[in-house]
């Protein structure tokens, strides 16, 4: 048997059911793994005692025959999800020391299904970033290295702590959030599976808001099956989130068994962006060939407004962020820096509490929303957003899913692209359209770069059709048989 921390969720659930090991043993192994992985800085807060208590309770439920769908599985939680009694910071100084008195709906669902919490995972400040280099609590390091090159690499972002922890076997799976790619891009950088569900599939209640019309919660796991199991627990209508949709949650795991024969896979010609590295292009072609071999039919589709997606996103996301972040004023909670006047208190608290990237977004956001510029930027961006959603609607008249690369590159070294925000924003070129259109997207590890680093393929689907997305993702996963491991795990 593989080491306990090497098991997928599905395998661990099997082992727990057969009483090969207890959740207390599994959780104990993870608590040790979290300690061993400390230098990656994936966790902001570790909760080992709570984890072991939850594991004990899980073992008791299992003995009574009342185990839930994820009973006994030790998870890491992105520190954007409010967790009752456990510090929740969004990676920001302004929320340092904030301890929610309530639990986010999605984490509550995970605990209700029996999962165990190992701690809170690092992220880019307020989930703004693609490299996990903007957190007040420091950079996250990827467990991967290029062979023969010991420079630390980024795990991607903003769910960088989640990606690092899952790929370093310091959590069996983790929650992420995705506003413009923050689940899929780090999943692709670290060789794991990341699923951004349809907007409205999972409740956003109790998740610190970045851009409310784009944010979605989703699972980050080591296999497509695990993503299916975890989404089934996370998803569902929540009266506390008026944008969560009241439709039944299907059995995603059962959906994996269906055939993909005859399904049409759309290949959007506008995604062949200039300057795309040849190895990314080759991965993409390989993906098309795998799906063809499984009986799927490739069709060329057109998403004509693709080139406007990134600039549109970088107007809408900062606009919503500047409004959402107005609540951090030093008065109600979080950091307070006194001033001579009330305005002075606001200014001092926000100046000290927010990092440079967050300030940049607040400035862009207030600018595009300001009188005189609103029509030229914000309103225009909203119109283009509608056209982008229309593009997908039309494309899906010709195909069932769309296949693209997840990211235009493999992971880069910490320090690269740091002084060039536009180069960093380019990371999101293949992921933001799905957020603008609200559709689901899955990243599956598909191979390695010439440098031996993971690459991912993205499967996009129709709104609320995560079943087909997962089913097609499973075909890629099987064909790719991705077996590369991060150097960090060499001794496991
Ligand atoms: N990288 C994108 C950004 O910086 C996406 C972030 C996210 O999805 N949370 O906005």
């Amino acid at each position: 048997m593989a080491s306990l921390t090497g098991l997928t969720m599905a395998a661990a659930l099997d082992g727990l059911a057969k009483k090969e090991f207890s959740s207390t043993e599994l959780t104990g192994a993870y608590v040790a793994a979290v300690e061993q992985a400390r230098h990656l800085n994936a966790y902001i807060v570790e909760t080992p005692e709570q984890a072991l208590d939850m594991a004990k309770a899980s073992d008791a439920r299992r003995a009574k025959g009342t185990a839930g769908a994820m009973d006994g599985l030790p998870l890491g939680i992105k520190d954007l999800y409010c967790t009752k009694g456990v510090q929740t910071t969004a990676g920001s100084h302004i929320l340092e020391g904030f301890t929610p008195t309530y639990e986010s709906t999605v984490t509550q669902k995970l605990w209700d299904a029996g999962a165990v919490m190992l701690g809170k995972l690092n992220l880019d400040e307020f989930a703004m970033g693609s490299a996990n280099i903007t957190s007040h609590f420091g950079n996250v390091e990827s467990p991967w290295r290029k062979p023969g090159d010991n420079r630390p690499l980024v795990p991607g972002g903003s769910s960088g702590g989640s990606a690092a922890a899952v790929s370093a076997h310091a959590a069996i799976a983790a929650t992420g959030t995705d506003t413009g790619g923050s689940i899929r891009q780090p999943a692709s950088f670290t060789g794991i599976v990341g699923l951004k569900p349809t907007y409205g599939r999972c409740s956003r209640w109790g998740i610190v808001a970045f851009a409310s019309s784009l944010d979605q919660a989703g699972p980050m796991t080591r296999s497509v099956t695990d993503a299916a199991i975890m989404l089934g627990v996370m998803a569902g209508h929540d009266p506390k989130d008026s944008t969560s949709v009241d439709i039944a949650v299907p059995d995603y795991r059962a959906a994996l068994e269906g055939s993909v024969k005859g399904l049409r896979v759309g290949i959007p010609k506008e995604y062949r962006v200039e300057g795309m590295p040849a190895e990314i292009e080759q991965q993409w072609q390989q993906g098309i060939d795998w799906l063809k071999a499984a009986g799927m039919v490739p069709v060329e589709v057109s998403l004509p407004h693709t080139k406007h997606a990134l600039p549109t996103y970088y107007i809408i996301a900062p606009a919503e962020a500047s409004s959402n972040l107005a609540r951090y004023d030093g008065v109600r909670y979080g950091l307070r820096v006194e001033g001579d006047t009330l305005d002075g208190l606001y200014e001092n608290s926000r100046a000290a509490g927010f990092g440079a990237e967050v300030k940049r977004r607040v400035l862009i956001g207030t600018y595009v929303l300001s009188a005189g510029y609103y029509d030229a930027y914000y309103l225009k961006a909203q119109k283009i957003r509608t056209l982008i959603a229309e593009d997908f609607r039309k494309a899906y008249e010709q195909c069932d899913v769309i296949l693209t690369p997840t990211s235009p590159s493999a992971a880069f070294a910490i320090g690269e692209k740091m002084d060039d925000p536009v180069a960093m924003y380019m990371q999101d070129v293949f992921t933001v359209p799905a957020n603008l259109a609200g559709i689901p997207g899955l990243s599956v590890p598909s191979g390695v770069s010439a440098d031996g680093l993971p690459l991912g393929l993205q499967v996009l689907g129709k709104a609320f059709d995560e079943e087909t997305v997962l089913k097609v993702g499973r075909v890629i996963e099987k064909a790719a048989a991705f077996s590369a491991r991060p150097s960090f795990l060499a001794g496991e």
Side-chain angles (χ1 to χ4, degrees):
M1 194 175 77
S3 73
L4 281 184
T5 53
L7 300 172
T8 59
M9 276 175 38
L13 284 171
D14 247 19
L16 287 165
K18 292 189 188 129
K19 310 257 185 296
E20 287 166 11
F21 48 84
S22 64
S23 174
T24 303
E25 286 165 316
L26 183 67
T27 302
Y30 271 105
V31 166
V34 168
E35 272 174 35
Q36 257 163 36
R38 254 182 210 154
H39 70 274
L40 301 177
N41 202 25
Y43 283 86
I44 295 175
V45 169
E46 297 171 14
T47 54
E49 283 114 38
Q50 188 168 338
L52 290 165
D53 283 350
M54 290 172 98
K56 215 163 126 192
S58 165
D59 287 332
R61 278 190 299 271
R62 202 169 284 282
K64 273 201 299 187
T66 58
M70 285 178 63
D71 228 297
L73 301 180
L75 306 179
I77 300 299
K78 185 177 183 178
D79 201 21
L80 206 60
Y81 290 70
C82 287
T83 41
K84 190 174 175 178
V86 179
Q87 178 185 261
T88 300
T89 66
S92 183
H93 185 35
I94 212 156
L95 277 175
E96 198 167 3
F98 169 59
T99 305
T101 53
Y102 49 84
E103 187 75 29
S104 86
T105 297
V106 164
T107 44
Q108 188 60 52
K109 279 172 175 283
L110 291 165
W111 313 143
D112 290 347
V116 165
M117 178 164 87
L118 289 167
K120 302 299 290 290
L121 292 162
N122 208 342
L123 69 159
D124 279 303
E125 188 178 2
F126 284 104
M128 297 172 188
S130 303
N132 220 132
I133 51 165
T134 71
S135 169
H136 174 68
F137 302 92
N139 300 339
V140 176
E141 238 180 60
S142 170
W144 293 79
R145 290 285 184 279
K146 293 181 193 171
D149 180 345
N150 210 28
R151 269 181 310 165
L153 302 172
V154 304
S158 66
S159 312
S162 306
V166 174
S167 70
H169 294 183
I172 199 162
T175 59
T177 64
D178 192 311
T179 304
S182 278
I183 286 177
R184 291 159 288 158
Q185 182 255 21
S188 133
F189 275 18
T190 55
I192 65 167
V193 173
L195 172 62
K196 181 201 92 74
T198 310
Y199 184 79
R201 186 49 107 180
C202 297
S203 170
R204 290 181 296 109
W205 193 83
I207 300 175
V208 176
F210 163 12
S212 308
S213 77
L214 301 160
D215 299 342
Q216 251 305 283
M220 299 176 73
T221 58
R222 294 193 211 138
S223 76
V224 174
T225 303
D226 287 3
I229 296 170
M230 193 160 161
L231 178 64
V233 172
M234 293 172 73
H237 177 240
D238 176 11
K240 288 192 280 196
D241 172 3
S242 59
T243 63
S244 82
V245 175
D246 193 1
I247 52 173
V249 177
D251 181 344
Y252 294 114
R253 193 171 182 182
L256 294 176
E257 306 305 323
S259 160
V260 298
K261 243 192 203 103
L263 287 182
R264 296 154 308 166
V265 52
I267 311 300
K269 57 175 190 233
E270 291 81 3
Y271 277 54
R272 297 195 188 280
V273 293
E274 218 178 293
M276 181 150 80
E279 61 186 9
I280 304 281
E281 186 86 46
Q282 277 158 17
Q283 278 293 313
W284 195 9
Q285 188 53 50
Q286 176 68 76
I288 299 168
D289 293 344
W290 284 331
L291 295 182
K292 236 163 58 181
M296 287 180 64
V297 185
V299 288
E300 189 182 87
V301 294
S302 176
L303 299 167
H305 297 92
T306 297
K307 65 170 183 294
H308 303 301
L310 207 54
T312 300
Y313 171 84
Y314 276 99
I315 289 172
I316 292 174
E320 293 185 15
S322 71
S323 165
N324 274 325
L325 270 54
R327 75 190 69 178
Y328 305 104
D329 55 8
V331 175
R332 281 161 292 191
Y333 43 83
L335 182 79
R336 170 183 300 203
V337 181
E338 299 296 341
D340 294 337
T341 60
L342 183 59
D343 278 346
L345 178 144
Y346 292 155
E347 286 165 13
N348 294 346
S349 301
R350 289 168 67 84
F354 291 141
E357 182 60 28
V358 172
K359 285 177 184 156
R360 179 169 17 242
R361 307 265 181 132
V362 169
L363 286 173
I364 296 173
T366 35
Y367 179 79
V368 300
L369 288 174
S370 58
Y373 294 104
Y374 185 92
D375 289 3
Y377 293 106
Y378 184 70
L379 204 62
K380 196 169 232 168
Q382 292 289 36
K383 288 180 181 164
I384 299 173
R385 180 178 188 174
T386 304
L387 294 174
I388 289 168
E390 255 316 88
D391 281 358
F392 279 105
R393 200 191 53 72
K394 283 192 197 130
Y396 285 132
E397 286 170 3
Q398 290 168 269
C399 63
D400 302 286
V401 290
I402 288 172
L403 185 75
T404 79
T406 305
S407 168
S409 73
F412 41 90
I414 294 181
E416 271 180 71
K417 301 188 209 283
M418 286 182 124
D419 52 355
D420 184 352
V422 176
M424 197 62 91
Y425 298 169
M426 283 301 290
Q427 280 295 310
D428 308 325
V429 63
F430 298 135
T431 49
V432 293
N435 300 77
L436 290 168
I439 57 172
L442 173 75
S443 180
V444 183
S446 55
V448 291
S449 69
D451 286 331
L453 297 177
L455 297 171
L457 285 171
Q458 172 176 242
V459 182
L460 299 174
K462 297 177 185 170
F464 297 101
D465 189 16
E466 285 86 0
E467 290 157 283
T468 307
V469 169
L470 286 160
K471 192 162 71 173
V472 173
R474 177 81 188 104
V475 171
I476 295 174
E477 180 180 55
K478 269 196 218 155
F482 183 85
S483 61
R485 284 160 63 93
S487 45
F488 177 85
L489 289 177
E492 189 183 64

